[in-house]
Amino acid sequence: MNSVDTCVLVVPCFNEAARLDPAPFLGMLQARAGLSLLFVDDGSTDGTRAALDALSAQDPFRISVLDLPSNGGKAEAVRQGMLRALARGAALAGYYDADLATPPAEMLEIIRQLEERGVQAAIGSRVALLGRRIERRAARHYLGRVFATLASAALQLPVYDTQCGAKVFRAGPALTAALAEPFISRWAFDVEIIGRLACGHPLASQANQPWIIEVPLREWRDVGASKLRATHMAAMLVDLGRIARDLRARRRRR
């Protein structure tokens, strides 16, 4: 990581060779000084690693690749990438989906909002407001609302959207602790990282001191080749119960 890199975005990848588009990622780096990208190849079996190496060669000082020997799932890929970013001294570390469902300009806005408002975490939120382009299949939207309601109860936070794959966090002891143990769920780990931060951050218990914000996206599109399936949604609901129990235990230890 370059000495001027203050923000590292982790991009988990599993068999992304067919849809990995280098241009938007390179454009992000041109649009923001101090940003670097860490792609995590999660045991891909196609040409993903070759595609990532070619992308890294275009800006080797700001694009790096972490190669995991076997497929451990998105949750572990994100965790390993975030830990690597923090170990390199990043002031901000986040993660971003390789499918670019969240446009690069929206991810950069999330980073800007975190810095401008002085909070510890900023997460993208897919709110279908007038004047915004949130293109999401109806079934996934309504399932997502059910999940978000249950996630809010588990977190004891009024979160609208925990699952958008665009999040950024300030480095610090609370983030390091949140990443110290593997996540319970391969797909609902977003809830875990928010919950673990809430258990470990000193401002989380102060209602008048916001430490996390949601940034409503101006644009988001449902990518047809998404790896999330209906069976995964069912598993996420089961995992959410396990996550809620884990967070209750963490709160008792706080």
Side-chain angles (χ1 to χ4, degrees):
M1 189 174 68
N2 193 307
S3 61
V4 299
D5 289 331
T6 56
C7 179
V8 177
L9 289 183
V10 173
V11 185
C13 299
F14 176 66
N15 290 350
E16 297 285 354
R19 65 177 183 178
L20 191 66
D21 186 357
F25 293 109
L26 293 170
M28 291 179 74
L29 297 179
Q30 293 173 358
R32 181 186 167 90
L35 176 68
S36 66
L37 300 173
L38 172 57
F39 291 86
V40 181
D41 183 10
D42 186 24
S44 297
T45 56
D46 64 352
T48 294
R49 182 56 199 262
L52 293 178
D53 286 342
L55 176 56
S56 177
Q58 295 188 61
D59 195 341
F61 293 105
R62 299 177 68 187
I63 301 176
S64 55
V65 181
L66 173 60
D67 188 22
L68 301 183
S70 60
N71 177 240
K74 182 180 179 181
E76 186 60 12
V78 166
R79 193 179 77 91
Q80 291 293 338
M82 294 277 284
L83 287 171
R84 175 68 63 90
L86 294 177
R88 291 178 176 182
L92 306 177
Y95 52 95
Y96 184 48
D97 285 344
D99 61 12
L100 300 172
T102 302
E106 298 298 287
M107 185 70 241
L108 294 177
E109 175 63 13
I110 292 170
I111 299 170
R112 189 191 70 80
Q113 291 263 359
L114 179 141
E115 293 180 318
E116 184 176 279
R117 298 172 66 175
V119 293
Q120 302 301 308
I123 63 178
S125 186
R126 297 163 293 184
V127 186
L129 301 171
L130 290 173
R132 298 175 186 257
R133 295 182 57 190
I134 306 298
E135 301 175 8
R136 198 175 187 191
R137 284 173 285 176
R140 290 189 66 175
H141 170 74
Y142 291 117
L143 284 171
R145 297 316 312 137
V146 172
F147 184 86
T149 300
L150 297 173
S152 291
L155 290 169
Q156 298 181 6
L157 290 170
V159 183
Y160 181 86
D161 184 3
T162 60
Q163 300 310 113
C164 179
K167 295 179 173 65
V168 62
F169 308 90
R170 237 176 249 285
L175 181 59
T176 300
L179 298 168
E181 301 173 19
F183 296 115
I184 292 170
S185 175
R186 288 170 65 102
W187 294 99
F189 70 93
D190 301 80
V191 179
E192 292 185 74
I193 192 169
I194 295 170
R196 292 180 183 185
L197 279 170
C199 290
H201 199 279
L203 291 181
S205 60
Q206 302 178 34
N208 62 339
Q209 295 288 333
W211 62 278
I212 182 170
I213 59 170
E214 287 188 269
V215 180
L217 302 179
R218 293 162 295 189
E219 184 178 351
W220 188 90
R221 62 188 178 89
D222 214 344
V223 178
S226 172
K227 296 179 176 67
L228 185 63
R229 301 289 182 264
T231 53
H232 296 147
M233 288 293 294
M236 286 169 64
L237 291 173
V238 173
D239 286 348
L240 194 54
R242 300 168 61 205
I243 292 168
R245 289 193 295 273
D246 178 68
L247 293 179
R248 285 196 297 270
R250 289 172 183 268
R251 292 185 192 106
R252 287 195 295 269
R253 297 195 298 268
R254 187 166 57 189

